[in-house]
Structure formats: structure tokens, C-alpha cells
Amino acid sequence: QVQLVESGGDLVQPGRSLRLSCVASGSSLNIYAMGWYRQAPGKQREWLATLTSSNTNYAPSVKGRFTISGDIAKNTAYLQMSNLKSEDTAVYLCYVDQNFRSRTWGQGTQVTVSS
């Protein structure tokens, strides 16, 4: 069974940058995709970005400001966020997709953007 550990969430001022990390561990992971969602209070969970061994994809709302990177083979993913805004305040959740298994979620890391 895969376990995810997210880190990097923090309180930052508007306009600043932050990088989130996600590391998956376990046996026979067979991960083919990793990505990020976020959930703000009172709002639906929002997909942000996905990383596979061959490409990356972004939600239009964050494209150009957020960059996903990492190494699927090493079970790691990062989310570099720049020019943060107050509306980016949310819990950021990492996920992995594995062959023959349902999606696994991390517990989330809080990002708060405030002056």
C-alpha cells in the first residue's frame, strides 16, 4: 500500500513563492501519475496539475504560475507556486495513480497567503 507525505505548506505574503513536496513510499508502487489538488474552505476540491513520465498538465487557473516537477520513477513530485495570491489559500493535496489500484491521497499541507 502506498503512503504519501506532503510538506512545504506555510504562511506566506502575497506575491511570494512556495514549493510543495510529495513523496510516495511503499512496495510495488507502479505509479504512473502524480499530481496536486487543493481545497479551500467551503469550496470543491480543485485539480491543479498532473505529472507523468512523459508530460505535465495544468488547470487553466494556475497555468503560468504553478509548475509541477519531479520524477515518477523516484515517486516524488513538487509543486512550485509563484506570485501567490490570497485566493490560493487552501489545503494542498497530493495524489498518486497506480496500475490496478484506485487513487491514493495524501493528508494535505496548508498554504495560507496573507499579509
Side-chain angles (χ1 to χ4, degrees):
Q1 187 171 353
V2 64
Q3 293 186 331
L4 298 178
V5 176
E6 300 128 318
S7 60
D10 204 348
L11 168 63
V12 296
Q13 293 181 331
R16 302 299 292 269
S17 298
L18 201 62
R19 189 176 87 150
L20 307 181
S21 300
C22 177
V23 179
S25 62
S27 60
S28 302
L29 295 181
N30 295 315
I31 293 172
Y32 65 84
M34 298 181 71
W36 293 90
Y37 276 70
R38 68 185 176 189
Q39 187 154 25
K43 294 187 177 181
Q44 288 189 331
R45 189 170 290 187
E46 177 189 12
W47 170 71
L48 301 175
T50 298
L51 171 72
T52 69
S53 59
S54 59
N55 61 17
T56 57
N57 287 288
Y58 297 92
S61 60
V62 301
K63 193 171 185 179
R65 286 197 305 127
F66 290 10
T67 302
I68 190 169
S69 64
D71 189 334
I72 293 295
K74 296 182 178 179
N75 308 320
T76 58
Y78 306 98
L79 187 68
Q80 178 71 42
M81 305 182 291
S82 62
N83 189 24
L84 284 163
K85 307 174 183 179
S86 58
E87 51 264 42
D88 294 319
T89 295
V91 174
Y92 285 69
L93 301 123
C94 176
Y95 72 87
V96 298
D97 290 328
Q98 302 167 268
N99 292 323
F100 313 115
R101 295 183 181 177
S102 57
R103 176 168 288 179
T104 302
W105 295 90
Q107 292 189 331
T109 184
Q110 177 70 45
V111 173
T112 302
V113 183
S114 176
S115 56

